[in-house]
Amino acid sequence: MKLQRKNRLRALSLGAVAVSGALALTACGSDDTGKKTTDGSSSSTSASSIKCDGAKGQLLADGSSAQKNAIDAWVKSFSQACGVQINYKGGGSGAGVTAFTQGQVAFAGSDSALKPEEVTASKKVCSGGQGIDLPMVGGPIAVGFNVPGVDNLVLDAPTLAKIFDSKITNWNDPAIKKLNPSAKLPDLKIQPFHRSDESGTTDNFTKYLIATTPDNWKYSGGKAWQAKGGQSAPQSAGVAQQVKQTSGAIGYFELSYVSDGIKPVSIDTGASKPVAPSTESATADIAAAKVVGTGKDLSLQLDYKTKAEGAYPITLVTYEIVCDKGNKADSLPATKAFLRYIASEDGQKALSGIDYAPVPAEIIAKVRTTIEGLS
């Protein structure tokens, strides 16, 4: 089974390279690991099912590296159907929001909703409108580890907080032993890795720690890492690469970056069994999300403190950020067509095959309606 999976991913990777070369889809600052950019079903989306509606030219976009693998899969299908070149840099949520508020991109991806000051800044580039958040990609934030001789690891919020705040520094610490009584934990230094760039993944990971163990995580949170100690790397791919090549390492990144050499931590949430990160366990948590945005903004509130059976608590939702009004006339048709496709049933179906969670039906229906009203 494992060999078949590797062969399938190798074939898809070669196919993706050929397509990207033909379309000249550059991705400066790409966060792509080359792990898996699509699966058999998503790559074969029928061109007739994608409505191009006058889309042409090229689109520039930047933002969340967590959704980079999803964007790559979507771009492949959309570009084949409509001939539009899309350059999504994947430089991180902070870079994406900055590029959007400076009018450098048609849309941005962010794992955190726009802050009030960012909405204000967006009004300068959205003539007569403002930037809005459209939830498009869900998924778990995996905590990946590389500890020789350990294949399964359970951690809880207090222990995670102490590890990433350099309060627990060795893998055979009593707190880790208590959660893993049958594991052969080595006398090995813990090497925690965090993001060096401003990241919505960091924001959501620390929101989980703040919500669940405030006594052990006394930082205010946000896109920039605040705790002392540890080591850093840029974007999800950079953190994953460091964990993969460093004995004793642990880090956080979107599930699609978990690969050979990295194993995911299961989280003790207080439910009857620890929960591993997966599309299904993330969907169980995201399904309880509430829309808290106003007007056309559809930002969500996630439940980081869930104890529901089978619900993974460290999740994120990536938003596509776009002007509700005042989009540039030359890029609006392509922007709407691309967003319409990725919010469609076909676009959302593609996610589950590449370790992402589709947005719940009730919420994605609102997203589709909002996209049609963009101007």
Side-chain angles (χ1 to χ4, degrees):
M1 193 72 178
K2 193 170 183 180
L3 181 60
Q4 290 177 345
R5 174 180 168 85
K6 286 185 176 180
N7 289 338
R8 180 172 67 87
L9 295 179
R10 187 179 296 113
L12 289 169
S13 178
L14 292 172
V17 169
V19 170
S20 62
L23 295 173
L25 297 180
T26 59
C28 303
S30 171
D31 200 21
D32 187 9
T33 62
K35 180 175 181 283
K36 48 183 174 180
T37 54
T38 185
D39 67 352
S41 61
S42 61
S43 65
S44 60
T45 300
S46 170
S48 62
S49 69
I50 298 177
K51 298 179 180 179
C52 300
D53 287 350
K56 59 182 179 180
Q58 64 178 0
L59 289 180
L60 299 179
D62 195 2
S64 165
S65 63
Q67 71 165 358
K68 180 68 167 59
N69 291 337
I71 289 287
D72 284 348
W74 282 330
V75 164
K76 179 182 177 182
S77 294
F78 182 77
S79 295
Q80 285 177 327
C82 301
V84 176
Q85 298 181 15
I86 300 178
N87 179 350
Y88 182 80
K89 292 183 179 181
S93 296
V97 172
T98 297
F100 179 76
T101 56
Q102 292 179 352
Q104 298 171 355
V105 293
F107 69 92
S110 176
D111 308 320
S112 300
L114 290 169
K115 297 178 181 178
E117 61 269 26
E118 292 168 341
V119 173
T120 299
S122 74
K123 293 180 180 180
K124 297 178 181 179
V125 296
C126 300
S127 180
Q130 65 180 47
I132 57 173
D133 302 287
L134 301 178
M136 204 71 75
V137 183
I141 300 173
V143 180
F145 69 97
N146 176 5
V147 181
V150 180
D151 292 327
N152 299 295
L153 186 69
V154 175
L155 296 174
D156 58 12
T159 308
L160 273 173
K162 291 173 185 177
I163 287 172
F164 280 93
D165 199 23
S166 302
K167 301 291 176 56
I168 292 178
T169 59
N170 219 61
W171 280 110
N172 64 355
D173 186 275
I176 302 177
K177 283 185 175 181
K178 185 177 180 180
L179 290 164
N180 301 273
S182 62
K184 295 181 179 180
L185 296 166
D187 181 8
L188 178 67
K189 182 181 178 182
I190 298 174
Q191 306 276 3
F193 283 89
H194 58 264
R195 290 282 289 270
S196 60
D197 53 324
E198 288 201 355
S199 160
T201 309
T202 293
D203 190 16
N204 284 275
F205 179 62
T206 55
K207 279 180 179 176
Y208 161 74
L209 297 176
I210 292 167
T212 54
T213 185
D215 290 344
N216 294 299
W217 195 262
K218 298 182 181 295
Y219 303 98
S220 60
K223 293 178 182 177
W225 185 258
Q226 296 173 322
K228 306 300 181 183
Q231 301 175 66
S232 65
Q235 302 163 2
S236 293
V239 175
Q241 182 61 31
Q242 290 300 319
V243 172
K244 184 175 182 178
Q245 67 187 23
T246 306
S247 179
I250 188 170
Y252 58 91
F253 28 76
E254 197 277 325
L255 182 60
S256 68
Y257 292 96
V258 173
S259 60
D260 292 342
I262 302 175
K263 297 179 176 66
V265 170
S266 293
I267 303 298
D268 183 347
T269 65
S272 64
K273 295 180 181 179
V275 186
S278 69
T279 299
E280 294 77 17
S281 62
T283 299
D285 183 55
I286 295 171
K290 299 178 181 178
V291 175
V292 294
T294 58
K296 294 182 178 180
D297 186 89
L298 296 174
S299 56
L300 304 176
Q301 183 179 68
L302 300 172
D303 182 9
Y304 300 103
K305 298 172 72 173
T306 182
K307 294 183 180 181
E309 297 295 330
Y312 185 77
I314 318 176
T315 57
L316 59 76
V317 170
T318 298
Y319 303 96
E320 310 313 326
I321 296 171
V322 66
C323 296
D324 59 353
K325 297 178 182 178
N327 289 279
K328 295 179 180 178
D330 58 347
S331 61
L332 178 59
T335 300
K336 286 184 70 170
F338 181 65
L339 294 178
R340 180 186 295 117
Y341 161 58
I342 67 179
S344 70
E345 186 175 348
D346 283 344
Q348 289 291 298
K349 276 183 178 179
L351 293 175
S352 59
I354 48 176
D355 291 334
Y356 293 95
V359 175
E362 182 179 345
I363 297 172
I364 202 67
K366 295 178 180 178
V367 172
R368 292 166 185 158
T369 299
T370 303
I371 290 170
E372 296 308 318
L374 299 179
S375 63

